[in-house]
Amino acid sequence: MAAHIGRRLRKGAATTAVAAAAVAALSASQAPGATVDDQGRQSTGDATSAPDTAADDSATGNSPYYTDLPPLNSPAPSPSAGAGEAGDRSAAEAGIPATVLDAYKKAEAALREKKAGCNLPWQLLAAIGKVESGQARGGRVTADGTTVTPILGPQLDGNGFALIRDTDDGAYDGNRMYDQAVGPMQFIPSTWSWAGRDGNGDGRKDPNNIYDAALAAGHYLCRFDWDLSEPGDLRKAILSYNNSTEYLNTVLSWLEYYRKGTHEIPDGTGALPEDRSDARPGVTPSAPGTTPPARPGTRPGKPSGPRPSPSPSAPGTGSPSAPPTTPPPTTPPPSTPPTPTDTVHHLEDAGTGTLTAMAGHTFAERISTRAETEAGKAVAKVRIRFTIVGDTDTTFAGGESVATVTTDASGVAVAPALQAGERTGAFAVQAAVAGRSVKGVPYKVTVTQRVADALTRVGEKELTCVAGGEFAEPVEVKATYGGEAAGKVAVTAKLVTSADDPAENDKGPYFKDTDGKAIRTLTGLRTGPDGQLTLPKLYADDTAGTFLLRLTTAGGATLEVELTVEPAAAPSPGPDPSADPDPSTDPSTEPSETPAA
């Protein structure tokens, strides 16, 4: 890499100096390595060692990428900035094709809503898109964001690249022998199968569509609850995409460059990168017919690297020595020793118990799977991919539907704990060998409804009202399970005839439906997160007496609440018109005045 950067520095003067300094500043306090722990999370590795994540556990399979660094000049130069070739290049590199830019920004907006704590900047997607495909080959996409022609990386056959045998039967990459990275964000098929998203709303998940690919990349970078505003989490996320320190530094340099300013340019007019990580001396291309496409500006068949030096001159002559007339004997290349993954014949359950949990709870049991050879011998250091399959919102810790764990010395991989969602019923978790098509293990998983084992009333005030009136105090209850608040538990409220007769009462207190009609049974009620529930207002008809409200929950908890309806007060009597008037006020009883004689 040092020689490569040195060549580019000599070629482009000081155009990369500031970018390299920015990378150094960003990287100084963080280690470049990343390893996977038993929870499926990646943690920082030793700063002195190279990253060592399996290729098929990254988004791209660690496939080749473009190594061009951004120019020295600011992407948004001031009016006084000098013009010239460097300024022109800066302006060109800062331009992002319109549809590609729109896809990045829409992906950021979607992640802001779905995973706000991730703090994904669209400039990170732009940086990765630049390094992976030169912004979809300069924005050569259709109106809906699909690349004009498929973008394929070289086949990952282990010949100068990672070894990933076919995982999709050629569905995405057209290759039934080995996988190839696909699309503008260069996902390998085995990753796209679970990470793919529909970003443009057409009902399809197409790795060659920039809207779909950008949204998938955003979700991939935001898994494991990473916060990309934190330098450490940012590094882990980028390394998980392509596990290379050089890749990390290149992406970081473009991220900082795009953060300083960009502008929209027409589709198809973007600047194309030139230098790829596999276009170097000593890197063997893949099998014939799958050689990486030539870099822009080179002729087909013309070597893009430096020409080999001529043979040294023979003593006493001024011309190069002639090549030997007899070719040297050739020996077949040594066969590649099998990897642990190659030796796996099948997977077996490693003693997993019953996988059942209540909605919203963490499963107490974790899935354990053992990798074995045909003879039944344990195989260590094999990556096992656990995939949740079926109509469920249950996830692994971190909110993902897929987790990859490496087998230990006993050949066993233990999946992260499952977190039950709200959707009840049965589904499956499929355990498979990452990068191999061998017999896996399906596990049946069941999520049951939320229940409560106790129901108590909140408050002690008597619940009374006058016949024909309404109860001033609402009925409030709390559900618990094992002494803890039982949230989102279904509750039924019913006014019953008596403690011994559960039939619905046809008189006394009642609720009102949306039309204002009297009803005496309520279903579909649920407790809040704190386990509490406040019932709707109760009314009373003209029947006085003591009545019973029975509440029941899923799980069998029952509570009976007494309601009292007092008789309406009798109206006060008015004056009796037939009664004799008060003689003191009756004018007829007053003495008449007798005129004096």
Side-chain angles (χ1 to χ4, degrees):
M1 177 61 189
H4 179 63
I5 291 180
R7 176 167 55 86
R8 296 202 62 237
L9 284 173
R10 292 191 297 273
K11 186 177 179 181
T15 56
T16 61
V18 171
V23 170
L26 282 167
S27 308
S29 62
Q30 301 294 333
T35 57
V36 179
D37 64 16
D38 63 349
Q39 297 297 318
R41 294 175 178 269
Q42 291 195 359
S43 57
T44 305
D46 185 354
T48 62
S49 62
D52 189 28
T53 298
D56 60 350
D57 197 38
S58 67
T60 67
N62 299 335
S63 58
Y65 52 89
Y66 289 103
T67 59
D68 300 61
L69 293 174
L72 173 65
N73 295 60
S74 168
S78 63
S80 60
E85 182 180 350
D88 292 342
R89 178 170 179 256
S90 180
E93 293 286 11
I96 299 179
T99 300
V100 178
L101 180 60
D102 184 56
Y104 295 151
K105 291 185 175 180
K106 284 185 175 176
E108 180 197 55
L111 269 298
R112 190 184 306 120
E113 178 182 351
K114 296 290 185 182
K115 296 185 177 181
C118 178
N119 296 306
L120 170 79
W122 67 260
Q123 291 92 340
L124 176 58
L125 297 176
I128 290 177
K130 177 69 174 180
V131 172
E132 293 295 347
S133 67
Q135 311 298 16
R137 290 180 178 159
R140 287 165 177 78
V141 295
T142 59
D144 70 345
T146 303
T147 57
V148 175
T149 57
I151 300 176
L152 292 174
Q155 69 177 14
L156 301 175
D157 57 4
N159 190 12
F161 308 109
L163 174 60
I164 304 179
R165 293 185 175 88
D166 176 54
T167 61
D168 66 329
D169 198 27
Y172 294 117
D173 54 15
N175 190 333
R176 296 187 177 184
M177 292 187 64
Y178 301 97
D179 272 351
Q180 294 175 249
V182 183
M185 303 303 277
Q186 289 289 278
F187 279 95
I188 54 173
S190 58
T191 300
W192 184 262
S193 64
W194 61 266
R197 297 291 194 278
D198 177 15
N200 62 352
D202 64 356
R204 300 174 60 234
K205 299 176 182 178
D206 183 1
N208 282 299
N209 182 281
I210 186 59
Y211 287 99
D212 295 358
L215 184 59
H219 276 279
Y220 187 91
L221 293 165
C222 287
R223 71 201 194 286
F224 304 139
D225 293 332
W226 281 330
D227 179 358
L228 303 187
S229 65
E230 294 291 334
D233 282 358
L234 175 64
R235 292 173 57 85
K236 294 174 190 175
I238 296 172
L239 284 169
S240 77
Y241 208 89
N242 193 312
N243 195 32
S244 158
T245 303
E246 179 192 56
Y247 180 88
L248 167 70
N249 293 339
T250 306
V251 169
L252 287 175
S253 67
W254 281 106
L255 170 61
E256 290 306 302
Y257 182 74
Y258 285 140
R259 276 175 166 164
K260 293 176 183 177
T262 60
H263 58 272
E264 179 184 301
I265 60 174
D267 290 343
T269 64
L272 295 175
E274 296 181 357
D275 294 317
R276 273 175 46 139
S277 61
D278 60 337
R280 302 179 191 169
V283 177
T284 307
S286 52
T290 59
T291 302
R295 298 178 300 183
T298 63
R299 298 178 182 175
K302 180 181 179 181
S304 55
R307 295 181 179 179
S309 301
S311 302
S313 301
T317 68
S319 60
S321 60
T325 56
T326 303
T330 60
T331 57
S335 58
T336 304
T339 66
T341 300
D342 293 330
T343 66
V344 177
H345 177 265
H346 61 274
L347 299 181
E348 293 285 349
D349 175 44
T352 305
T354 303
L355 295 165
T356 302
M358 191 189 307
H361 289 64
T362 300
F363 282 74
E365 185 74 16
R366 291 168 63 179
I367 297 173
S368 297
T369 303
R370 175 181 162 97
E372 297 182 354
T373 64
E374 187 172 6
K377 183 179 178 181
V379 185
K381 297 182 180 180
V382 174
R383 309 189 81 77
I384 306 299
R385 179 169 289 128
F386 299 94
T387 306
I388 298 173
V389 181
D391 185 16
T392 181
D393 55 353
T394 294
T395 64
F396 290 111
E400 295 297 328
S401 61
V402 176
T404 303
V405 182
T406 303
T407 56
D408 58 18
S410 62
V412 174
V414 181
L418 285 163
Q419 178 65 41
E422 294 302 321
R423 198 170 301 165
T424 59
F427 59 95
V429 172
Q430 181 71 36
V433 178
R436 284 285 311 278
S437 295
V438 299
K439 181 184 176 183
V441 181
Y443 293 87
K444 183 180 178 181
V445 186
T446 305
V447 176
T448 60
Q449 65 178 334
R450 291 175 179 262
V451 299
D453 56 15
L455 195 61
T456 57
R457 186 182 162 210
V458 177
E460 298 179 355
K461 190 173 182 178
E462 292 186 0
L463 299 170
T464 63
C465 81
V466 177
E470 59 185 50
F471 287 80
E473 295 290 331
V475 177
E476 295 182 83
V477 297
K478 182 174 182 178
T480 56
Y481 182 79
E484 301 292 333
K488 300 182 181 181
V489 173
V491 179
T492 297
K494 183 179 182 181
L495 289 148
V496 297
T497 302
S498 68
D500 299 324
D501 187 355
E504 181 180 284
N505 207 338
D506 59 358
K507 57 185 177 181
Y510 62 90
F511 300 102
K512 287 184 179 180
D513 63 12
T514 54
D515 296 326
K517 296 180 181 179
I519 56 173
R520 291 185 168 86
T521 300
L522 294 178
T523 58
L525 302 173
R526 286 193 178 273
T527 59
D530 57 357
Q532 295 196 180
L533 170 66
T534 300
L535 270 61
K537 180 174 286 189
L538 277 162
Y539 301 86
D541 61 14
D542 57 1
T543 306
T546 300
F547 301 89
L548 206 59
L549 171 64
R550 177 173 291 167
L551 297 104
T552 56
T553 71
T558 302
L559 173 67
E560 293 179 343
V561 180
E562 196 172 84
L563 306 172
T564 302
V565 179
E566 298 175 345
S572 58
D576 186 356
S578 64
D580 290 336
D582 184 351
S584 64
T585 59
D586 188 351
S588 63
T589 62
E590 293 181 1
S592 60
E593 294 183 0
T594 303

